[in-house]
């Protein structure tokens, strides 16, 4: 799997754990499932800590799961490959391609984290409207586990040899042999480490600070995670050809509104109302 040669780590692991015919299980899929399972377990601890019913979390989980998948998929299609998918709209949501009068199962190749973030926010909004739950209360708790889930996803990207970094001569540079023979920054692992640190920070703030204004943790999450994403993009290869002539790539441009929203939430004036119900 890993072989250190000439000062670089050579990575040539196949993305499939196993396959039976056209059916295959990938490391990325496993990481995605671990992200949701880990998030659910931690959210359950939070709900129990705050005397909220598990049934409410189960409902929320469905909204988040669907919102994440649809948002991430549509985000990739609309933000990164719109020229193709505008002529093949069904392929945005169906895992097949239609060529020369023949349907071919392809799976979903392309998920965008910014689209996933939008999908999660839409899912929370719909959930809160149905259950009459406060949006910021849910958002402040959910962002405690999202960075951990993001770390799992980036590890999955590493197994897929995708979202690769720029060339590097650092001792920990990685040659993704399934892509080319160039030693590169393991940008996926950099990002995963950043997300783990954000998770640890937010988790500690939540458990140590009893009085936080609504939206503070949500805002801090947006600043830290999408700020880290903006910086990490400087170490990555562009994902699409159209980004080559851009001063800032699509990932960076999409991160800026999230950071701006986070700054507003953290620094907005807030005065708690007497006996306000949460």
């Amino acid at each position: 799997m890993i072989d250190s040669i000439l000062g670089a780590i050579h990575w040539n692991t196949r993305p499939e754990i196993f396959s039976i015919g056209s059916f295959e299980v990938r490391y990325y899929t496993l990481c995605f499932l671990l992200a949701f399972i880990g998030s659910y377990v931690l959210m359950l601890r939070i709900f129990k800590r705050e005397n909220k019913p598990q049934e409410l979390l189960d409902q929320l989980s469905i909204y988040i799961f669907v919102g994440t998948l649809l948002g991430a998929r549509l985000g990739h299609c609309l933000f990164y490959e719109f020229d193709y998918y505008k002529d093949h709209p069904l392929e945005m949501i169906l895992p097949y391609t239609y060529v020369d009068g023949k349907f071919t199962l392809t799976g979903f190749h392309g998920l965008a984290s910014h689209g996933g973030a939008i999908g999660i926010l839409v899912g929370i909004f719909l959930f809160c409207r149905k259950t009459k739950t406060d949006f910021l209360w849910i958002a402040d708790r959910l962002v405690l586990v999202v960075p951990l889930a993001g770390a799992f996803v980036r590890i999955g990207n590493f197994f897929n040899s995708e979202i690769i970094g720029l060339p590097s001569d650092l001792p920990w540079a990685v040659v993704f042999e399934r892509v080319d023979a160039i030693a590169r920054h393991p940008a996926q692992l950099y990002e995963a480490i950043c997300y783990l640190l954000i998770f640890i920070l937010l988790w500690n703030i939540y458990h140590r600070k009893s009085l936080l204004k609504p939206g503070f943790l949500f805002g801090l999450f947006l600043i830290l995670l999408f700020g880290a994403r903006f910086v990490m993009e400087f170490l990555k290869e562009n994902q699409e050809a159209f980004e080559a002539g851009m001063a800032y790539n699509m990932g960076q441009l999409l991160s800026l509104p999230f950071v701006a929203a986070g700054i507003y939430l953290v620094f907005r004036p807030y005065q708690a109302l007497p006996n306000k119900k949460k």
Side-chain angles (χ1 to χ4, degrees):
M1 292 176 63
I2 302 177
D3 184 23
S4 182
I5 301 175
L6 299 177
I9 299 170
H10 287 240
W11 180 257
N12 60 2
T13 299
R14 293 179 58 84
E16 305 87 5
I17 301 175
F18 67 86
S19 60
I20 302 175
S22 61
F23 175 79
E24 60 184 31
V25 175
R26 292 175 168 245
Y27 289 103
Y28 183 87
T29 304
L30 178 61
C31 288
F32 207 85
L33 290 175
L34 287 174
F36 273 99
I37 293 171
S39 297
Y40 181 87
V41 170
L42 292 174
M43 283 295 291
L44 184 57
R45 288 182 58 183
I46 293 170
F47 269 54
K48 288 182 176 179
R49 183 175 188 259
E50 303 199 25
N51 298 315
K52 299 294 183 180
Q54 183 174 348
E55 292 75 14
L56 191 67
L57 175 60
D58 292 341
Q59 293 181 54
L60 174 63
S61 298
I62 295 173
Y63 280 85
I64 296 302
F65 185 81
V66 175
T68 300
L69 288 180
L70 287 179
R73 178 60 180 165
L74 293 176
H76 172 81
C77 297
L78 297 176
F79 297 148
Y80 290 97
E81 293 191 65
F82 179 73
D83 285 344
Y84 174 82
Y85 286 104
K86 67 181 175 62
D87 298 321
H88 305 82
L90 286 179
E91 292 182 32
M92 292 185 187
I93 56 176
L94 298 177
Y96 71 84
T97 185
Y98 183 74
V99 180
D100 298 329
K102 181 181 178 181
F103 290 98
T104 302
L105 184 66
T106 60
F108 292 127
H109 297 291
L111 299 172
S113 58
H114 293 89
I118 295 172
I120 289 173
L121 292 175
V122 172
I124 296 174
F125 172 78
L126 295 175
F127 168 81
C128 291
R129 189 173 67 173
K130 180 180 179 180
T131 61
K132 309 302 180 184
T133 307
D134 182 70
F135 179 90
L136 287 179
W137 186 91
I138 290 292
D140 279 336
R141 274 78 186 161
L142 189 62
V143 298
L144 298 175
V145 301
V146 168
L148 181 62
F152 276 115
V153 171
R154 283 295 178 251
I155 292 172
N157 295 138
F158 183 79
F159 274 100
N160 276 354
S161 296
E162 61 189 2
I163 313 182
I164 58 177
L166 294 171
S168 170
D169 58 0
L170 292 170
W172 55 83
V174 175
V175 177
F176 295 96
E177 294 185 355
R178 299 178 63 83
V179 178
D180 55 32
I182 301 173
R184 300 177 177 277
H185 286 286
Q188 316 96 323
L189 299 185
Y190 292 168
E191 210 164 334
I193 292 171
C194 286
Y195 294 170
L196 283 174
L197 293 175
I198 293 170
F199 162 71
I200 293 170
L201 175 63
L202 294 177
W203 190 259
N204 276 276
I205 291 175
Y206 168 72
H207 282 84
R208 292 176 182 274
K209 302 292 185 181
S210 58
L211 295 176
L212 292 171
K213 68 181 179 181
F216 177 83
L217 286 173
F218 182 31
L220 185 60
F221 159 83
L222 292 174
I223 294 171
L224 293 176
L225 189 135
F226 288 101
R229 175 68 188 271
F230 185 92
V231 173
M232 288 295 106
E233 289 296 320
F234 287 114
L235 299 176
K236 296 180 187 177
E237 290 282 5
N238 291 327
Q239 295 187 51
E240 300 296 335
F242 73 83
E243 297 176 299
M246 300 169 61
Y248 300 102
N249 65 26
M250 182 61 73
Q252 291 174 310
L253 294 177
L254 292 173
S255 293
L256 293 176
F258 289 99
V259 174
I263 292 172
Y264 167 76
L265 288 169
V266 168
F267 294 104
R268 71 187 178 115
Y270 173 78
Q271 184 174 358
L273 297 176
N275 300 320
K276 184 181 178 181
K277 293 182 179 180
K278 296 183 179 181

